[in-house]
Amino acid sequence: MQARDHLFTDLRAATMTGEGAYGMIEDAAIAVQDGRIAWVGPKAELPTDYAALPHTALGGRLVTPALIDCHTHVVHGGHRAVEFEMRLNGASYEEVARAGGGIISTVKATREASVDDLIAQALPRLDALLAEGICTIEVKSGYGLDRDTELNMLRAARALPDHRPVRVVTSFLGAHAVPVEYQGRPDAYIAEVCIPTLRAAYEEGLVDAVDAFCEGIAFLPDQLVPLFDVAKELGLPIKVHSEQLSNLGGTKLAASYGALSADHIEYLDEEGVEAMAAAGTVGVILPGAFYTLRETQAPPIDLLRKHNVPMALATDCNPGSAPVTSLLLTMNMGCTLFRMTPEEALQGVTTHAARALGLSDCGRIAPNLRADLAVWDISHPAELAYRVGFNPLHTRIFGGEI
């Protein structure tokens, strides 16, 4: 018998398997062997094979799959609190930029940080997320915009599981912005910096997916084609920040590559949603950025429902547009700002978040999946999205270990 063998009883399981509301099983039991779920179902039907496992009764608490934050920028240098204060005191975007604010300030701070510095700065943000029941987190590069710093960001992300019990999925976001030294030459930046850095990251085993920011202030769809072609050549899946501020066709481009996800998508039209549906692309909804930027264009939730496009939710934790380290708050925002249902919100941070990362071994409570679980002091799953500033997590179980 291994250390990660366990039997959990006296619980209510929201399995998120699609069988009834929340996939709920009352008076359930969950058997874990070698860090994976061996059996889940009503306790009265527990096979005798699992009765001898080390046993923990959970006092009637609710158990869900562990949460998944499928879009973050938790690895970066510095912060942008000063420019936040400047803006609230009336400074214009141009004045903030002249004072060294904006993404330039984060790039500068990130380039000046060592890998150890980046890890040290990321850990408090990661700890806040883990404390809310997260076991899997996606981490992007994108604040280096040069070879060495982009690689260091990915190295820092890969090292986080050495410091905390967490699973990290990395995305190369070299096409996040055009750095100052390439201002006005985005195609040259993609060819001379972004693509060679992607190849280096791939060779070092640092990258799980390739992301890009397709927007007028970043890169146009045609400028991203060479990058996406290289990703396809390397066998790396595509993700995209798209249709956040305008509708330029970035989502349709990514869908043509079979993208795992299109994120933000506030300005996406029905044609773009249809492209996502055809490609099996997940829509990642990011209400934290919508809130922080005081946007007014909400993502097309009804169109996504109409075309059965899965909706994930994520914090978008970043120093500029979403300094958010609470996935529970993000769930509430998804419901309150965008009228997602609490069940959609919980799907969005479990089942659909896993799909947005290309993961099939987590996000549900079902046999053969990882025993990544969250135990909550609540009576109904809707409470996770209902309360604001309240964390009812009782226990986080990672790979079967409490």
Side-chain angles (χ1 to χ4, degrees):
M1 191 174 296
Q2 302 190 32
R4 295 187 297 168
D5 293 356
H6 214 91
L7 175 64
F8 299 99
T9 62
D10 192 14
L11 62 96
R12 303 167 63 245
T15 64
M16 307 310 292
T17 56
E19 300 174 6
Y22 299 98
M24 186 66 69
I25 302 174
E26 302 289 345
D27 193 15
I30 301 172
V32 175
Q33 289 186 314
D34 194 22
R36 291 187 174 265
I37 297 165
W39 186 89
V40 57
K43 182 183 176 183
E45 300 175 12
L46 178 70
T48 56
D49 294 354
Y50 304 118
L53 293 174
H55 174 228
T56 298
L58 294 176
R61 293 181 173 88
L62 181 76
V63 178
T64 70
L67 306 190
I68 299 167
D69 198 348
C70 66
H71 181 132
T72 87
H73 307 253
V74 296
V75 171
H76 62 262
H79 62 82
R80 307 247 282 272
V82 174
E83 70 177 73
F84 172 73
E85 184 175 44
M86 288 176 65
R87 289 200 310 271
L88 292 174
N89 282 321
S92 68
Y93 181 85
E94 184 179 353
E95 289 169 332
V96 169
R98 278 204 307 266
I103 191 173
I104 296 171
S105 67
T106 301
V107 170
K108 182 176 184 294
T110 305
R111 287 179 175 181
E112 291 173 350
S114 67
V115 172
D116 287 343
D117 293 335
L118 293 171
I119 293 169
Q121 292 183 53
L123 285 175
R125 298 186 278 267
L126 178 61
D127 286 341
L129 294 167
L130 299 184
E132 291 189 347
I134 288 169
C135 281
T136 300
I137 183 172
E138 186 254 18
V139 181
K140 303 179 189 295
S141 67
Y143 287 117
L145 308 183
D146 63 20
R147 176 190 171 102
D148 290 347
T149 315
E150 288 292 307
L151 294 176
N152 279 348
M153 290 185 72
L154 293 169
R155 290 170 185 138
R158 279 284 197 246
L160 293 176
D162 296 335
H163 300 267
R164 299 291 187 271
V166 65
R167 184 184 193 183
V168 171
V169 177
T170 58
S171 295
F172 173 73
L173 184 58
H176 193 194
V178 181
V180 172
E181 56 268 30
Y182 276 88
Q183 207 62 46
R185 298 187 296 137
D187 296 286
Y189 169 71
I190 292 289
E192 297 171 13
V193 177
C194 200
I195 289 175
T197 304
L198 170 58
R199 291 189 182 279
Y202 175 80
E203 289 299 321
E204 200 173 323
L206 297 174
V207 57
D208 298 315
V210 175
D211 201 345
F213 186 18
C214 185
E215 193 56 73
I217 60 173
F219 298 92
L220 302 178
D222 288 350
Q223 293 167 341
L224 293 174
V225 168
L227 175 66
F228 287 174
D229 283 346
V230 172
K232 184 177 180 180
E233 171 200 327
L234 297 175
L236 293 170
I238 298 295
K239 301 171 72 70
V240 68
H241 293 55
S242 56
E243 274 65 64
Q244 181 183 6
L245 306 172
S246 60
N247 187 1
L248 297 181
T251 299
K252 287 176 62 179
L253 172 68
S256 74
Y257 285 84
L260 288 175
S261 73
D263 304 27
H264 290 290
I265 61 173
E266 281 90 337
Y267 284 82
L268 189 63
D269 58 16
E270 188 160 12
E271 185 179 358
V273 174
E274 289 172 343
M276 293 179 68
T281 300
V282 177
V284 179
I285 309 301
L286 302 171
F290 178 93
Y291 167 85
T292 302
L293 297 174
R294 302 176 69 184
E295 294 290 345
T296 57
Q297 176 78 26
I301 301 298
D302 286 339
L303 284 177
L304 296 169
R305 289 174 178 147
K306 175 183 174 181
H307 293 282
N308 297 312
V309 173
M311 293 181 287
L313 274 168
T315 62
D316 191 18
C317 175
N318 75 70
S321 63
V324 179
T325 51
S326 172
L327 197 53
L328 294 176
L329 175 59
T330 300
M331 293 172 66
N332 177 270
M333 286 180 173
C335 295
T336 303
L337 297 176
F338 301 150
R339 295 297 184 261
M340 296 176 70
T341 68
E343 186 169 8
E344 286 174 333
L346 187 52
Q347 285 177 322
V349 297
T350 55
T351 310
H352 294 162
R355 183 170 170 179
L357 297 179
L359 301 176
S360 59
D361 63 349
C362 59
R364 293 170 292 131
I365 303 176
N368 301 315
L369 303 192
R370 285 179 56 89
D372 291 347
L373 305 169
V375 184
W376 307 95
D377 282 316
I378 58 176
S379 61
H380 193 283
E383 290 184 65
L384 294 175
Y386 156 70
R387 299 188 186 278
V388 179
F390 180 73
N391 180 4
L393 185 73
H394 177 268
T395 305
R396 189 177 75 103
I397 299 168
F398 178 68
E401 296 187 2
I402 299 173

